[in-house]
Amino acid sequence: MLNESWPADLGPVICVVGARPNFMKMAPILRAFSAHHPALPTLLVHTGQHYDRDMNDRLFVDLRLPHPDINLEVGSATHAVQTAEVMRRFEPVVDAQRPSCVLVVGDVNSTLACTLVSAKKEVPVVHVEAGLRSYDRAMPEEINRVLTDQIADRLYTTERSAQANLAREGIAEERVCFVGNVMIDSLLSNREFAHSPTKTLQMAGVDPAVLDDPRGYGVVTLHRPSNVDRAEQLAPLLSVLREVSEQLPLVFALHPRTRANIDRFGLGELLASPRIILLPPQGYLEMLGLLAGAKLVLSDSGGLQEETTALGVPCLTIRENTERPITVEQGTNTLVGCDPQAIRKGVAEILSGTGKTGRVPELWDGRAAERIAADLSQWLLARHARRGS
């Protein structure tokens, strides 16, 4: 360590969150920054890219995350409008705070927007969860990832393959640091507080006896536009879920986008089964308990691929590709695309005991945020010393 205390003329680390997955990544980072010696001063900015007051309040409590110092209250819009509005509202924050760096996580629009503002203001950008690639440019998140990594000054990766992705894109090795996965930090630190599936169903007004099946139960989430925005794509997926529910009950946490499209396309009858439990979006501790107790998970979520791998729960990912290949190569994840037959086959293998078991990847040990705090503190202090000399 270069100094025993944080220099008075070195500004705070602005930490940006924009959507629910960002909260899970940021909570352990903020705790690690506070516990580090010297502590890294921080300012938490919520762009309000996705905002549900009740859900946000629950997440802050569940994750022991401090409430934001600043909320930009951007709200929903098209990708272009939302990105532009985050930039417009974030720029005065950077001007007023004069941060030592801006730390962004993940791949949402807020991540790229705040990165662009910081670069134009000549403020260093730190990207947590860098180097993940699906190689599908039709995904807006992929564009956000690639551009953020090109601009970022310090890049923290969750898996070693990310380093190779960044090298192929011309990013110097000295800008990159492999630290592990902060999502798993959150999972491991909160697992003891997870709500039981019984409690979650009771709170939702559902008789938990529906889960009393010798084969266990499955958890379902679907939210990606490619899966839920067209009736011809959504209907076959709901039909195969109905089939799967005949083998074991399914708990389906319905994203607002998915629920709205089911209603719009008149597909509700496909889910009209006592073996399919429809729930609203769940809090972090409720979802963690559901996942930990599940026999299998069917989802198109990136985060759930990681969480199920850490929990040792088989996951069938309803996508043609993944930016988290380590969950397939080493973990419990299997890509099944949107093919009903592949979904049926995957479920059959899991229920017969012949599905993959997987293992927890390297450095997914609950200490990624500590490694980020140690490296970033050293990097910022060294940079500050060079600029002052």
Side-chain angles (χ1 to χ4, degrees):
M1 187 59 59
L2 299 180
N3 283 297
E4 292 301 318
S5 61
W6 197 255
D9 60 340
L10 187 55
V13 178
I14 292 183
C15 298
V16 177
V17 293
R20 174 179 167 137
N22 295 168
F23 300 152
M24 279 83 100
K25 296 163 189 170
M26 194 61 74
I29 292 172
L30 292 177
R31 284 196 292 273
F33 284 4
S34 178
H36 191 264
H37 299 288
L40 282 73
T42 59
L43 185 89
L44 181 60
V45 174
H46 183 1
T47 67
Q49 175 182 326
H50 293 165
Y51 191 75
D52 177 306
R53 184 176 301 276
D54 291 338
M55 188 58 70
N56 274 10
D57 288 345
R58 289 172 65 188
L59 278 171
F60 291 131
V61 172
D62 289 352
L63 294 166
R64 290 161 284 144
L65 182 69
H67 280 266
D69 298 292
I70 298 172
N71 192 323
L72 302 182
E73 299 182 344
V74 168
S76 297
T78 65
H79 287 284
V81 170
Q82 188 177 69
T83 302
E85 190 62 19
V86 171
M87 292 180 69
R88 187 180 74 82
R89 298 190 188 195
F90 185 62
E91 184 177 31
V93 175
V94 174
D95 288 339
Q97 298 297 327
R98 302 181 64 186
S100 58
C101 68
V102 170
L103 185 147
V104 296
V105 295
D107 52 22
V108 299
N109 289 338
S110 296
T111 301
L112 177 59
C114 294
T115 294
L116 289 169
V117 170
S118 304
K120 291 177 183 294
K121 292 289 183 179
E122 298 185 341
V123 173
V125 174
V126 177
H127 187 203
V128 175
E129 203 180 71
L132 298 181
R133 297 291 182 268
S134 67
Y135 294 98
D136 180 1
R137 291 294 181 93
M139 293 177 64
E141 297 92 341
E142 184 77 355
I143 304 301
N144 294 342
R145 293 180 201 117
V146 171
L147 295 179
T148 298
D149 286 341
Q150 283 296 322
I151 295 169
D153 300 270
R154 197 72 180 146
L155 299 92
Y156 294 114
T157 59
T158 62
E159 56 191 77
R160 291 195 182 276
S161 66
Q163 171 78 57
N165 294 338
L166 295 169
R168 280 192 294 271
E169 294 169 10
I171 293 171
E173 183 178 356
E174 57 266 24
R175 288 164 58 191
V176 183
C177 182
F178 172 45
V179 294
N181 194 331
V182 291
M183 281 280 282
I184 308 309
D185 289 15
S186 272
L187 184 150
L188 295 178
S189 66
N190 285 290
R191 188 166 182 182
E192 64 178 301
F193 306 114
H195 294 187
S196 71
T198 296
K199 178 180 178 180
T200 296
L201 264 59
Q202 287 174 335
M203 292 296 292
V206 177
D207 183 355
V210 71
L211 298 185
D212 292 341
D213 188 289
R215 307 190 87 171
Y217 68 89
V219 172
V220 180
T221 74
L222 289 175
H223 75 283
R224 293 195 176 273
S226 58
N227 281 334
V228 306
D229 278 5
R230 293 180 295 124
E232 61 269 27
Q233 192 75 14
L234 182 57
L237 291 177
L238 299 184
S239 294
V240 76
L241 290 177
R242 176 73 174 256
E243 291 179 35
V244 173
S245 74
E246 296 170 2
Q247 301 177 69
L248 79 169
L250 298 178
V251 179
F252 193 165
L254 269 176
H255 190 280
R257 182 191 199 104
T258 308
R259 182 179 287 277
N261 284 334
I262 290 171
D263 294 340
R264 180 159 66 99
F265 302 140
L267 300 176
E269 191 62 30
L270 293 174
L271 299 177
S273 165
R275 305 265 295 174
I276 301 177
I277 302 104
L278 301 180
L279 298 180
Q282 294 298 294
Y284 181 72
L285 297 180
E286 288 87 354
M287 199 66 189
L288 179 54
L290 286 169
L291 292 175
K295 179 72 173 182
L296 60 86
V297 172
L298 300 109
S299 178
D300 56 11
S301 162
L304 290 193
Q305 296 173 52
E306 297 175 323
E307 290 172 324
T308 50
T309 280
L311 291 167
V313 174
C315 179
L316 301 178
T317 295
I318 304 174
R319 288 169 51 185
E320 301 296 335
N321 51 55
T322 178
E323 66 282 359
R324 295 162 170 86
I326 199 168
T327 64
V328 176
E329 297 160 4
Q330 298 182 23
T332 59
N333 186 26
T334 301
L335 292 178
V336 292
C338 302
D339 178 9
Q341 187 54 40
I343 295 171
R344 293 186 192 100
K345 181 175 181 289
V347 170
E349 289 176 349
I350 293 168
L351 294 182
S352 68
T354 59
K356 64 167 64 175
T357 54
R359 65 179 179 85
V360 177
E362 181 184 8
L363 295 190
W364 289 25
D365 58 1
R367 301 186 64 185
E370 294 176 27
R371 287 186 279 268
I372 291 171
D375 179 84
L376 184 59
S377 176
Q378 184 178 29
W379 186 78
L380 286 173
L381 292 171
R383 185 175 183 275
H384 180 260
R386 288 195 302 271
R387 290 167 68 91
S389 61

